[in-house]
Amino acid sequence: MAIMTHPFTTPPTTHPNTTHIHLSTSISKATSLPQLKQVHTQILRQNLSDSDSGSLLFDLILSSIPLPSSLQYSLSIFSTLQNPRTHLINKLFRELSRSKEPHNALLFLENGRRNGLEVDRFSFPPLLKAASRAFALREGMEIHGLGCKLGFISDPFIQTALLGMYANSGQIQDARLVFDKMSERDIVTWDIMIDGYCQNGLFDDVLVLLEEMRSSNVEPDSRVFTTILSACGQTGNLALGKVIHELISENNIIADSRLQSSLISMYAGCGCMDLAQNLYDELSQKNLVVSTAMISGYSKAGQVEAAHSIFNQITDKDLVCWSAMISGYAESDQPQEGLKLLDEMQASGVKPDQVTMLSVISACANLGALDQAKRIHMIVDKYRFREALPVNNALIDMYAKCGYLDGAREVFGRMRRKNVISWTSMTSAHAIHGEADQALMLFRQMKEPNWITFVAVLYACSHAGLVDEGQQIFSSMVNEYKITPKLEHYGCMVDLYGRANRLREALELVESMPMAPNVVIWGSLMAACRIHGEYELGEFAAKRLLELDPEHDGAYVFLSNFYAKGKRWENVGEVRQLMKHKGILKERGHSKIEMGNEIHKFLTADKSHKHADDIYAKLDEVVCKLMQVGYAPNTSIVLIDVDEDEKKDIVLLHSEKLALCYGLLKSSRGSPIHIIKNLRICEDCHNFMKLASKVFEREIVVRDRTRFHHYRDGSCSCKDYW
């Protein structure tokens, strides 16, 4: 009768060879640290030879490497080994250098050297590979020194590994020193050196090195060209990419599928979609990698429908392909399509990864749809991304942009780990919601704010009229934190002075800046002049803006309105004729509202909605009730030559008013109404929303171009300063 044994118990036989086999099998079957520790106990109890015991303990260490929280245990076993055989040590170094935590190979080396560990020339390539993958330059240089001390440095395999370590660590001059001293340079070493130049942006050196390579009687192969083309695609270096394409053609190099894919990916990465498409059409078999590159290329070029056409042709889509298409929609003006794709991807059995979720969260933030945001958060929890720092940072931004500041606070509050992006995102969230005091409080709690943090906190000061605080913060950024102001900081300060009607100081700052003002800065000054009626200075700013961007619709609209204010209708006509001649259209105002997981969009005087009759009937009712509490349409904002009644009609049919009425019709009583407006909310609509929040006892949240307005009980969170 056979005796059954548990794989982690003592075997019934005492024969040494059988014991060794049994314990080795138990190690290979172990899936957790406690199981390995059981086997470890059995190894210590058995009367095994030093060689058998040592090899089993090495197997134990190797099996523990992939397990969580096993490093200290593995090191403790390693430190007990007496004179371990070098080939086993090298096997350990190889496994560790290929693992997810290559830095552990360096820890084992450090531990072993303290206990007299001996290494040979075969130890160095995996150790240098580990230093390269872990970007551990200091440790890599120490290994280099050890190799010199032991006399192994002339070994070509060690030299190649050294070359890769220095190149990958960005030490391109040190890599070149190693390269020049090599007695034997095969195609692999040339490829590593060329890749090093590419990754460090030294593309002129790439061409020089190619010439050196050919003069050394080593012909570049498809691998070398693939390396260069990949770098060109990533950096947008079209000029070098075309040179390489010509070299391939001139030298009659057979373009295998990998090289063809690299050419297509290079052109797609550089935005030359016509050339990429021509090469793509020539492919007899279109692999997933190159199709995904085409999707990304079209998406970045703003041709998302062309990207989707290629996406639809792919039969077996992988996660990268799905993510590329979702990202394309997220970065375009169609974020809702990206969210739909997420549902399709999950239905097809493909699970999103962190990169996918970041694209989806970004799409939801752009859309501003709160119900969708909450659903996305549930998916984040479902796939256990709850502890991922980048995902949490993105969730803060998403909730802030969807008007749900409490949601952003909740995510921030439960985060175990926070970085400067976390603090800056939360500071920015408070800023765009008009909570300047909270933004300043968070800023003061930060230990090491970066330049983006200062943009967020200066923005908060600007939108709350905190001029003195803004000046102090700007000064501390320069004097205490030693951060050189960028255009973004100057833009915030110009906006700060401008909104506070300190236009002279704003102009003085613009004129004293150490760099030329950009479109944003002139635009901020122009907008401030519009708010405070300083049209002559505004005209000056608008003309400076048009010198930088001759097709800026906002500047033309400002000039048209400026001339209309002065009833200079001839000048108005000239501006509009110029806009027509240049094909410049004023951006049309629109508003969106989410109802029942669907986004409803309204234009001014829009009657295209299927419930238009009900919406307009509701609008009449709302206007009537608001007039009873003092509302009167502010027709002064209408700057076209029509009579007063027509002006009233224009004002009353603004898109956010239609969206509000639809919200009142379709949402449950007492629930908040969230509206997204693509332009700055006008004075009349701002007053309209305040009164509506009081009369209908509803919180109304409007996200306009620059900030959020929370209307409650007849007042707004912006305190009428926006």
Side-chain angles (χ1 to χ4, degrees):
M1 179 177 170
I3 299 174
M4 301 299 292
T5 63
H6 190 277
F8 304 114
T9 59
T10 307
T13 177
T14 57
H15 191 279
N17 191 44
T18 307
T19 302
H20 186 285
I21 294 170
H22 175 85
L23 290 170
S24 180
T25 303
S26 297
I27 291 170
S28 66
K29 290 182 177 179
T31 57
S32 69
L33 206 54
Q35 290 176 348
L36 286 177
K37 287 181 178 180
Q38 287 182 37
V39 183
H40 189 185
T41 302
Q42 298 304 322
I43 294 171
L44 297 176
R45 285 178 179 173
Q46 302 304 312
N47 188 22
L48 299 171
S49 66
D50 289 343
S51 60
D52 284 340
S53 175
S55 65
L56 285 170
L57 289 174
F58 258 99
D59 288 343
L60 203 63
I61 293 170
L62 290 171
S63 295
S64 70
I65 289 170
L67 300 177
S69 305
S70 64
L71 177 61
Q72 292 305 316
Y73 174 68
S74 303
L75 284 169
S76 68
I77 300 174
F78 188 68
S79 64
T80 65
L81 298 175
Q82 299 296 319
N83 302 317
R85 286 179 287 179
T86 308
H87 78 277
L88 291 175
I89 294 169
N90 293 340
K91 181 181 180 182
L92 174 63
F93 287 153
R94 282 195 299 275
E95 291 296 322
L96 287 167
S97 71
R98 298 166 183 164
S99 70
K100 292 181 180 179
E101 301 290 340
H103 196 271
N104 289 344
L106 309 177
L107 293 177
F108 273 85
L109 174 66
E110 182 184 0
N111 179 286
R113 293 290 292 171
R114 283 200 302 265
N115 296 314
L117 178 73
E118 293 184 4
V119 292
D120 63 10
R121 64 189 182 90
F122 298 107
S123 309
F124 284 84
L127 286 170
L128 289 165
K129 178 182 178 181
S132 175
R133 289 189 60 218
F135 298 100
L137 176 62
R138 182 179 61 81
E139 291 88 339
M141 293 174 72
E142 289 173 356
I143 294 167
H144 186 177
L146 180 62
C148 292
K149 181 180 177 181
L150 297 176
F152 297 143
I153 211 63
S154 60
D155 185 291
F157 293 102
I158 295 176
Q159 289 177 331
T160 301
L162 269 173
L163 175 64
M165 186 275 293
Y166 281 122
N168 196 51
S169 300
Q171 302 298 308
I172 200 66
Q173 291 180 334
D174 290 324
R176 186 61 197 248
L177 286 173
V178 173
F179 181 79
D180 289 339
K181 290 178 181 178
M182 295 178 73
S183 55
E184 299 177 32
R185 292 188 292 210
D186 60 10
I187 191 71
V188 175
T189 56
W190 286 96
D191 186 38
I192 292 171
M193 194 65 235
I194 287 171
D195 186 44
Y197 278 133
C198 287
Q199 296 308 318
N200 286 274
L202 302 171
F203 292 105
D204 290 341
D205 293 296
V206 170
L207 289 174
V208 173
L209 199 61
L210 275 176
E211 288 302 315
E212 288 183 35
M213 184 178 182
R214 299 175 78 179
S215 63
S216 300
N217 295 320
V218 180
E219 283 299 321
D221 62 3
S222 62
R223 180 198 305 183
V224 172
F225 288 131
T226 297
T227 296
I228 302 171
L229 290 169
S230 175
C232 290
Q234 291 169 13
T235 58
N237 193 326
L238 180 61
L240 179 58
K242 284 185 172 180
V243 169
I244 299 303
H245 194 175
E246 290 172 5
L247 284 173
I248 292 168
S249 301
E250 289 170 4
N251 290 278
N252 297 316
I253 293 172
I254 298 173
D256 56 20
S257 60
R258 187 180 175 192
L259 186 54
Q260 286 177 315
S261 296
S262 297
L263 279 167
I264 295 167
S265 298
M266 182 274 294
Y267 282 121
C270 293
C272 292
M273 295 313 300
D274 289 343
L275 291 172
Q277 186 67 57
N278 290 339
L279 290 170
Y280 185 74
D281 291 339
E282 292 173 7
L283 286 178
S284 56
Q285 289 187 323
K286 297 172 174 60
N287 63 52
L288 195 54
V289 173
V290 74
S291 296
T292 302
M294 290 293 289
I295 291 168
S296 297
Y298 273 125
S299 296
K300 289 176 183 174
Q303 301 178 53
V304 72
E305 295 308 319
H308 198 245
S309 175
I310 289 177
F311 178 79
N312 284 337
Q313 295 169 27
I314 303 171
T315 51
D316 295 319
K317 303 176 181 71
D318 67 357
L319 176 59
V320 178
C321 178
W322 281 101
S323 297
M325 194 66 246
I326 290 171
S327 177
Y329 277 122
E331 293 169 8
S332 73
D333 196 28
Q334 302 179 57
Q336 200 167 2
E337 295 301 318
L339 298 180
K340 287 180 183 176
L341 268 188
L342 175 67
D343 293 334
E344 291 180 26
M345 184 181 86
Q346 292 181 94
S348 72
V350 178
K351 295 180 180 179
D353 66 357
Q354 186 171 308
V355 174
T356 316
M357 290 312 304
L358 288 172
S359 293
V360 169
I361 293 168
S362 172
C364 199
N366 293 336
L367 193 61
L370 182 55
D371 288 345
Q372 292 276 27
K374 291 178 178 178
R375 185 173 71 86
I376 296 305
H377 196 165
M378 291 173 65
I379 295 172
V380 165
D381 290 343
K382 174 183 175 182
Y383 291 109
R384 299 181 179 179
F385 298 120
R386 190 182 179 91
E387 297 301 322
L389 184 59
V391 172
N392 282 321
N393 291 339
L395 286 174
I396 292 170
D397 182 64
M398 176 189 74
Y399 275 132
K401 289 178 177 175
C402 291
Y404 187 37
L405 190 55
D406 285 344
R409 285 195 194 100
E410 184 182 331
V411 173
F412 183 77
R414 67 164 171 75
M415 288 172 67
R416 295 181 186 177
R417 191 162 58 96
K418 300 180 178 76
N419 62 6
V420 67
I421 298 172
S422 318
W423 286 89
T424 300
S425 297
M426 198 63 234
T427 302
S428 179
H430 283 298
I432 64 174
H433 284 270
E435 294 194 354
D437 291 343
Q438 292 294 316
L440 288 168
M441 183 186 72
L442 281 176
F443 170 70
R444 290 176 186 127
Q445 291 175 16
M446 291 184 68
K447 294 179 180 178
E448 295 183 9
N450 62 15
W451 72 269
I452 301 173
T453 313
F454 280 97
V455 172
V457 76
L458 287 171
Y459 176 96
C461 293
S462 171
H463 283 261
L466 303 176
V467 178
D468 292 342
E469 289 86 344
Q471 289 174 321
Q472 290 170 9
I473 288 167
F474 186 84
S475 177
S476 73
M477 178 182 74
V478 177
N479 298 323
E480 294 176 32
Y481 293 93
K482 309 302 180 186
I483 295 174
T484 302
K486 298 177 181 287
L487 278 166
E488 291 87 346
H489 301 114
Y490 284 109
C492 287
M493 291 303 293
V494 170
D495 197 50
L496 174 70
Y497 288 130
R499 288 178 186 276
N501 201 13
R502 292 164 66 163
L503 295 168
R504 180 177 296 279
E505 289 168 90
L507 182 59
E508 287 174 356
L509 182 61
V510 172
E511 291 176 339
S512 65
M513 284 167 49
M515 69 279 283
N518 63 2
V519 169
V520 174
I521 287 174
W522 286 120
S524 293
L525 185 60
M526 181 184 75
C529 291
R530 184 195 68 238
I531 293 169
H532 298 295
E534 292 287 343
Y535 284 98
E536 289 187 10
L537 178 57
E539 181 184 20
F540 171 76
K543 288 180 177 178
R544 297 292 81 73
L545 198 162
L546 287 171
E547 288 174 4
L548 297 173
D549 182 4
E551 298 186 356
H552 194 287
D553 64 322
Y556 285 109
V557 171
F558 176 89
L559 290 172
S560 176
N561 291 345
F562 167 48
Y563 297 138
K565 274 275 186 185
K567 301 190 183 304
R568 294 162 58 180
W569 302 116
E570 184 178 339
N571 295 119
V572 172
E574 289 174 359
V575 171
R576 291 182 178 173
Q577 188 62 36
L578 186 59
M579 290 177 70
K580 184 177 180 181
H581 175 72
K582 290 190 172 185
I584 300 168
L585 298 174
K586 175 187 175 183
E587 184 179 0
R588 293 190 69 185
H590 68 254
S591 297
K592 296 177 182 177
I593 185 169
E594 182 186 22
M595 286 289 158
N597 290 325
E598 187 178 351
I599 306 297
H600 300 263
K601 181 177 177 180
F602 297 91
L603 300 171
T604 297
D606 196 346
K607 292 191 176 181
S608 63
H609 197 279
K610 60 184 178 181
H611 296 298
D613 291 342
D614 294 334
I615 292 168
Y616 276 81
K618 188 67 176 178
L619 178 62
D620 290 339
E621 176 196 333
V622 172
V623 171
C624 182
K625 287 186 176 181
L626 297 192
M627 283 183 170
Q628 291 173 11
V629 294
Y631 170 70
N634 180 1
T635 57
S636 66
I637 63 172
V638 181
L639 299 174
I640 55 176
D641 191 15
V642 296
D643 62 38
E644 193 66 19
D645 287 340
E646 286 182 275
K647 287 183 179 182
K648 285 181 180 178
D649 288 341
I650 291 170
V651 168
L652 290 174
L653 298 179
H654 279 187
S655 62
E656 54 265 61
K657 293 187 177 82
L658 299 177
L660 170 65
C661 292
Y662 186 66
L664 290 170
L665 278 170
K666 296 297 181 180
S667 62
S668 57
R669 185 175 180 84
S671 63
I673 295 174
H674 289 254
I675 298 167
I676 303 162
K677 168 85 174 178
N678 68 320
L679 303 176
R680 179 183 184 270
I681 190 169
C682 72
E683 290 86 345
D684 183 77
C685 286
H686 192 266
N687 189 41
F688 190 92
M689 297 294 172
K690 286 199 299 182
L691 292 171
S693 71
K694 184 176 181 66
V695 170
F696 293 94
E697 299 179 345
R698 302 288 284 273
E699 179 185 359
I700 303 167
V701 182
V702 177
R703 182 179 105 181
D704 73 3
R705 175 173 276 176
T706 60
R707 64 173 298 155
F708 277 87
H709 300 264
H710 293 259
Y711 302 95
R712 300 183 187 94
D713 196 29
S715 62
C716 179
S717 59
C718 76
K719 300 179 178 62
D720 298 340
Y721 189 93
W722 84 102

